[in-house]
Amino acid sequence: MLSNKPLDQFKEIPEIYRQRIVELNQQSFDELLTFVDIVPDDAFDLGFIQSNFARDRDAIIQALISHPDCQEMQFEIWDFPDPNMRFLLDEILKVLPTVKVQPDKKLVFMVRGVENAIGMTGEYPPMLVDFNWVRDAYPVMVRHLMLFCLPDYAITRVANYAPDFWAWNSGTFVFKTPVNTRDDAISQTLDASKGITNCELPEKQERIDLLKRLLIEYTPSNGREQTQEDLKTRIRVLNDLAIAYRSRSEYKTAKYYLEQALNLAKDDENLGDVKANILHELAIVERNLGEIEKAITLEQQAMEIFERIGDIKMKAATLHQLAGIYADRGEVEQAKIGNLQGKAATLHQLAGIYANQGEVEQAIAFYQESLELKEKIGDVQGKAATLHQLAGIYANRGEVEQAIAFYQESLELEEKIGNLQGKAATFAMLGQLLAAQGYFDQAFNYLQQSLEILQHLRSPDAETVREIIAIVQQMAGDRS
């Protein structure tokens, strides 16, 4: 996926903001101006603009294009944001013929967004491997200056994992981030009033992107010293990234960020409360990965710290999480510990216990009370989970229409917040319910969607859904 847009189709960065970033980076900007001036036209050359935030990057691009020294140049801005892209040159060759070359102007290509395909972790990303393979084709196929606009980690990865392509590089222009850019990013993420788990998918992705940019800023590099406040901010960023990925059912990615955060906090006595919160979050992730004993151990470690520092609120939250784990194991008495802080979540857990014991009316009452509280506090993910459980109870009672209504309401919320695991479970339950009513076409549709999500998540539950599909196929055959 790419876009080839003239400057006026992108969001205009205010002049005062452009001036601010240029003044902060005057030497780098002057060197960039000289570079684009001296590179001959109709000859391939390569340069990199290092900027960690998209708004800063766009301010630099717009300042460059509007500069008096660049009025005899034609800048083409290309976006390649697809994280699964492997063959950049192929994408460039698709759009190159569409460029309307202006007479007597030097052509300069500016490339944005490929950091998504480069990634932050893992060795030899496929796109960088391809960079090396086709590096000799660039001077033949792209006979003009190319400027890649990338954050610092992406430039480092190009140098490390595409050294043959990197050898073409004639200049790297490093732009420091203004303090107000970092402050704005923090206000939109770490200090935002709305929790990231309750954001709809587009907003959630924007938050994740900003958090990753902040992580770059607060990771020490090039000998820069890290203050205690920087360390705390870095840990907060890692923790929020983990929560975001957990809310998308990407538990292994969440675990990756939490383990980084825990490693930073583990040896600092002044970060006891931070360490306890990380342990609590990591326990939730391990529970979702099926590592129950690890989850219990982590929660117990977290609770010891919360008790020591007198954090009653988080001790209660930890007790609530332990209650859920014990409920999963059928240890009813242990599960009744409850969570004084999270009354809504505790009611949800108690409802499940009563439902398992056959006390259906009491279970419904608790679920309804939990649902009301979750609506009041704006807990979208919790509301979806409670609706899902209510649907199951009504399905078991034979009240199919009410069950379907609850499942569909739950599904709408799960789609909004991008809860893939929840969507897969709801699709599967709807499929089984509709199959039992003889609506096989609709049932197959829901079950297939569930299977596709679970395969994407590499979940062992995919095999269970395959077995359900086989049973429904047999039922459909018997009816025909």
Side-chain angles (χ1 to χ4, degrees), residues 456-474:
H456 171 73
L457 296 174
R458 297 182 180 178
S459 169
D461 293 335
E463 188 56 37
T464 303
V465 174
R466 283 195 195 94
E467 292 172 0
I468 294 169
I469 290 173
I471 293 169
V472 172
Q473 286 173 332
Q474 185 176 350

Side-chain angles (χ1 to χ4, degrees), residues 112-368:
R112 310 188 306 181
V114 295
E115 64 268 23
N116 295 331
I118 291 172
M120 296 185 74
T121 60
E123 296 186 350
Y124 296 100
M127 192 187 77
L128 296 187
V129 172
D130 184 66
F131 269 10
N132 273 343
W133 278 105
V134 300
R135 58 94 65 187
D136 291 328
Y138 275 87
V140 178
M141 310 302 293
V142 188
R143 299 181 59 83
H144 300 281
L145 171 61
M146 290 186 69
L147 288 171
F148 282 78
C149 304
L150 293 169
D152 65 356
Y153 76 86
I155 291 177
T156 300
R157 285 169 68 77
V158 173
N160 289 342
Y161 298 121
D164 295 340
F165 181 78
W166 178 257
W168 290 121
N169 180 26
S170 297
T172 301
F173 308 95
V174 178
F175 286 79
K176 294 178 287 189
T177 302
V179 173
N180 65 299
T181 297
R182 284 196 296 269
D183 291 344
D184 288 347
I186 288 172
S187 68
Q188 294 173 54
T189 54
L190 303 180
D191 294 342
S193 58
K194 183 200 240 178
I196 198 165
T197 58
N198 289 323
C199 293
E200 295 187 13
L201 277 175
E203 184 183 357
K204 185 177 291 184
Q205 187 57 53
E206 287 177 10
R207 288 257 200 116
I208 288 172
D209 291 342
L210 275 177
L211 285 166
K212 286 182 176 179
R213 308 282 178 171
L214 281 170
L215 184 59
I216 299 165
E217 285 293 315
Y218 285 95
T219 298
S221 60
N222 301 322
R224 188 184 71 200
E225 292 186 7
Q226 177 175 250
T227 67
Q228 186 73 1
E229 283 306 308
D230 285 351
L231 176 62
K232 287 182 178 179
T233 301
R234 187 176 166 199
I235 292 171
R236 287 180 67 197
V237 170
L238 288 164
N239 194 60
D240 267 32
L241 277 167
I243 292 170
Y245 280 103
R246 171 167 63 80
S247 74
R248 299 198 329 190
S249 305
E250 297 180 39
Y251 300 117
K252 289 184 179 178
T253 305
K255 181 177 177 180
Y256 166 79
Y257 285 117
L258 286 169
E259 286 178 337
Q260 284 193 58
L262 186 60
N263 188 55
L264 292 173
K266 65 180 181 182
D267 297 326
D268 194 326
E269 289 297 323
N270 297 318
L271 297 175
D273 58 332
V274 174
K275 180 181 176 182
N277 276 286
I278 296 167
L279 289 166
H280 175 65
E281 282 294 330
L282 192 53
I284 296 172
V285 169
E286 293 288 11
R287 179 185 176 190
N288 280 287
L289 288 169
E291 299 288 348
I292 302 302
E293 294 303 323
K294 284 185 182 178
I296 291 173
T297 300
L298 289 164
E299 288 291 13
Q300 289 172 340
Q301 290 174 0
M303 190 160 62
E304 287 174 8
I305 298 172
F306 289 134
E307 284 180 335
R308 187 171 71 245
I309 64 178
D311 191 333
I312 298 172
K313 174 182 174 181
M314 283 309 300
K315 179 185 174 183
T318 304
L319 286 169
H320 165 69
Q321 181 65 15
L322 279 168
I325 295 171
Y326 288 124
D328 288 346
R329 289 168 40 153
E331 299 178 25
V332 175
E333 291 305 316
Q334 284 279 8
K336 290 182 179 179
I337 328 170
N339 172 8
L340 300 176
Q341 163 63 20
K343 183 179 178 183
T346 303
L347 288 165
H348 179 96
Q349 294 286 355
L350 286 171
I353 293 168
Y354 279 99
N356 290 335
Q357 292 179 340
E359 298 182 38
V360 176
E361 294 301 330
Q362 184 64 68
I364 290 174
F366 277 135
Y367 277 135
Q368 292 286 6

Side-chain angles (χ1 to χ4, degrees), residues 29-57:
F29 189 75
D30 290 345
E31 290 172 354
L32 177 60
L33 279 173
T34 302
F35 179 65
V36 297
D37 180 56
I38 65 175
V39 170
D41 197 12
D42 294 326
F44 174 76
D45 211 332
L46 182 66
F48 290 85
I49 296 173
Q50 178 179 307
S51 177
N52 289 338
F53 285 86
R55 192 180 186 208
D56 292 353
R57 173 204 65 199

